[in-house]
Amino acid sequence: MENQVLTPHVYWAQRHRELYLRVELSDVQNPAISITENVLHFKAQGHGAKGDNVYEFHLEFLDLVKPEPAYKLTQRQVNITVQKKVSQWWERLTKQEKRPLFLAPDFDRWLDESDAEMELRAKEEERLNKLRLESQGSPETLISLKKGYLFMYNLVQFLGFSWMFVNMTVRFFILGKESFYDTFHTMADMMYFCQMLSVVETINAAIGVTKSPVMPSLIQLLGRNFILFIIFGTMEEMQNKAVVFFVFYTWSTIEIFRYPFYMLYCLDMDWKVLTWLRYTVWIPLYPLGCLAEAVSVIQSIPVFNETGRFSFTLPYPVKIKVRFSFFLQIYLILLFLGLYINFRHLYKQRRRRYGQKKKKIN
């Protein structure tokens, strides 16, 4: 005897854009679900109110719908989603005013029109927020971009200072003291590049890209660039002096340990030997570098006095000639004040890094 064709229980709910149908059938096999001429056709073998049978129903919708229904089978039911052609609220599901006996509201999903509008607005706001986040970039993406940018900056600086350090070292072993007097002419272009690029380091600290304090970075930037561009760059008489070698060499030695440390930090890596060198080599090198810079300023004072460069005369009635050497003497004081500020900053960093272990031992 063939199975009797029966009608299952169907529950429905709607939103402005969609219709939801829940067909109460379990263990469904071979479902045939389609929409033709705005009528939903359903037929399937399953277990319903009348046991295992073939269940079938037809629904002619109140308004136009898209002819591609989506459905999902579970152990206890069939969930069907139908898209409306026009986003609007329907007063009922079917074209016929009288509701079919097998059809009932799905109170688990039921919303009235005002609630549905609130849900629609919430979804739209969520969609706009998602688009906004995608356009701005997710926090993880921004962090990755920042690390990539900082890694490339530190890599470029490391390569520049490494080139100068290796070049000066090789020239010294080959030429001896003679290499001192030609340092500026062989290294100046690269040093100009690296020192101009170091402006980025101070900007990063100022705008919060890095957590470094602004003042030590600014002091080092202004101090080095003053020596490079003013003392050496504007006076040819200073470019052939041996002090240029010692200034450039101490700067390069410091940076070939500092920049690789920051590169590994961007990769969340910690090489203990490099970390120790980064927090230790500055102890002898910063005072030596400051001493070399002070020597270069002292040697430049008679040169600036002789050439009169950057000197000026105050206007009438004072008419006093102010020599640039006066500002150089003030700069010497500021140079050692800057050394104290940077030395203190680096000492605090080193104590934070290695001081805890000492406290635990004591």
Side-chain angles (χ1 to χ4, degrees):
M1 181 178 178
E2 293 184 0
N3 289 341
Q4 183 181 1
V5 176
L6 300 171
T7 303
H9 293 299
V10 181
Y11 300 89
W12 81 284
Q14 68 168 317
R15 299 294 186 268
H16 285 80
R17 297 173 180 171
E18 296 173 325
L19 300 169
Y20 305 115
L21 299 174
R22 175 164 56 87
V23 184
E24 289 292 296
L25 280 181
S26 60
D27 301 324
V28 173
Q29 298 176 9
N30 305 320
I33 304 170
S34 63
I35 297 175
T36 56
E37 297 181 353
N38 216 47
V39 177
L40 174 70
H41 304 277
F42 177 93
K43 186 175 183 180
Q45 173 77 37
H47 185 83
K50 299 295 184 179
D52 288 328
N53 272 295
V54 175
Y55 290 84
E56 183 178 359
F57 68 88
H58 308 280
L59 288 174
E60 185 177 3
F61 294 113
L62 175 66
D63 210 334
L64 295 176
V65 297
K66 295 180 180 180
E68 305 92 11
Y71 66 90
K72 182 179 180 181
L73 301 177
T74 68
Q75 288 184 343
R76 296 186 177 183
Q77 62 197 27
V78 181
N79 296 313
I80 305 172
T81 303
V82 178
Q83 300 290 330
K84 298 176 181 178
K85 280 256 186 175
V86 179
S87 179
Q88 61 182 5
W89 196 256
W90 292 2
E91 61 181 19
R92 62 180 184 274
L93 179 64
T94 60
K95 194 168 186 179
Q96 64 185 74
E97 292 187 11
K98 187 177 180 180
R99 176 172 56 84
L101 294 176
F102 65 87
L103 186 65
D106 186 352
F107 290 108
D108 290 338
R109 304 194 70 167
W110 193 267
L111 292 178
D112 59 28
E113 185 174 1
S114 60
D115 291 336
E117 286 178 352
M118 290 179 63
E119 183 186 72
L120 187 65
R121 284 197 295 270
K123 286 184 177 180
E124 184 65 18
E125 186 175 345
E126 183 181 353
R127 185 183 70 85
L128 292 174
N129 287 336
K130 186 176 180 181
L131 289 174
R132 194 178 301 115
L133 282 174
E134 287 177 354
S135 64
Q136 294 174 351
S138 65
E140 293 80 7
T141 303
L142 291 176
I143 290 172
S144 298
L145 287 173
K146 185 177 83 169
K147 285 185 175 182
Y149 153 71
L150 291 175
F151 179 85
M152 290 306 299
Y153 166 76
N154 289 303
L155 175 61
V156 171
Q157 289 286 58
F158 170 66
L159 292 175
F161 281 105
S162 296
W163 182 87
M164 288 185 284
F165 175 82
V166 172
N167 202 310
M168 284 185 285
T169 303
V170 171
R171 284 172 53 81
F172 174 74
F173 279 110
I174 295 174
L175 302 176
K177 295 180 181 180
E178 293 298 321
S179 66
F180 293 170
Y181 307 103
D182 200 30
T183 300
F184 184 86
H185 300 290
T186 54
M187 304 294 152
D189 290 340
M190 183 60 72
M191 186 61 78
Y192 279 140
F193 171 78
C194 290
Q195 283 307 123
M196 286 190 290
L197 188 60
S198 65
V199 175
V200 173
E201 207 163 324
T202 303
I203 294 174
N204 288 340
I207 64 178
V209 175
T210 60
K211 296 180 181 179
S212 304
V214 179
M215 189 54 65
S217 175
L218 183 62
I219 289 173
Q220 179 169 293
L221 173 70
L222 295 178
R224 285 189 178 182
N225 284 349
F226 179 82
I227 298 296
L228 178 62
F229 289 96
I230 303 300
I231 303 299
F232 296 152
T234 62
M235 303 299 292
E236 292 185 10
E237 295 86 344
M238 292 297 301
Q239 295 171 6
N240 296 321
K241 293 186 178 294
V243 70
V244 178
F245 173 87
F246 294 100
V247 171
F248 283 11
Y249 202 75
T250 52
W251 289 357
S252 300
T253 307
I254 291 169
E255 305 304 10
I256 62 173
F257 297 113
R258 189 166 71 96
Y259 286 117
F261 169 79
Y262 289 134
M263 287 165 58
L264 292 183
Y265 183 80
C266 293
L267 300 176
D268 298 321
M269 295 173 63
D270 183 15
W271 185 22
K272 290 184 179 180
V273 174
L274 181 62
T275 302
W276 184 85
L277 288 170
R278 184 263 178 274
Y279 286 104
T280 306
V281 294
W282 61 268
I283 297 174
L285 290 178
Y286 261 74
L288 288 174
C290 182
L291 182 62
E293 292 175 29
V295 170
S296 68
V297 172
I298 292 170
Q299 289 183 351
S300 72
I301 289 177
V303 178
F304 278 104
N305 283 338
E306 184 179 344
T307 60
R309 179 162 293 184
F310 303 132
S311 299
F312 59 92
T313 302
L314 294 174
Y316 180 83
V318 180
K319 287 190 175 181
I320 296 176
K321 186 174 183 179
V322 180
R323 295 182 179 274
F324 186 64
S325 59
F326 170 74
F327 296 101
L328 293 179
Q329 292 168 26
I330 296 176
Y331 177 78
L332 282 174
I333 299 173
L334 297 177
L335 178 63
F336 287 98
L337 178 62
L339 173 66
Y340 167 75
I341 294 173
N342 276 1
F343 209 91
R344 186 175 148 199
H345 165 66
L346 291 169
Y347 174 72
K348 286 182 178 179
Q349 281 189 328
R350 193 178 196 283
R351 189 172 61 181
R352 279 198 299 267
R353 184 78 185 192
Y354 294 107
Q356 296 299 323
K357 293 180 180 179
K358 293 179 181 179
K359 289 180 182 179
K360 289 180 181 179
I361 293 172
N362 296 332

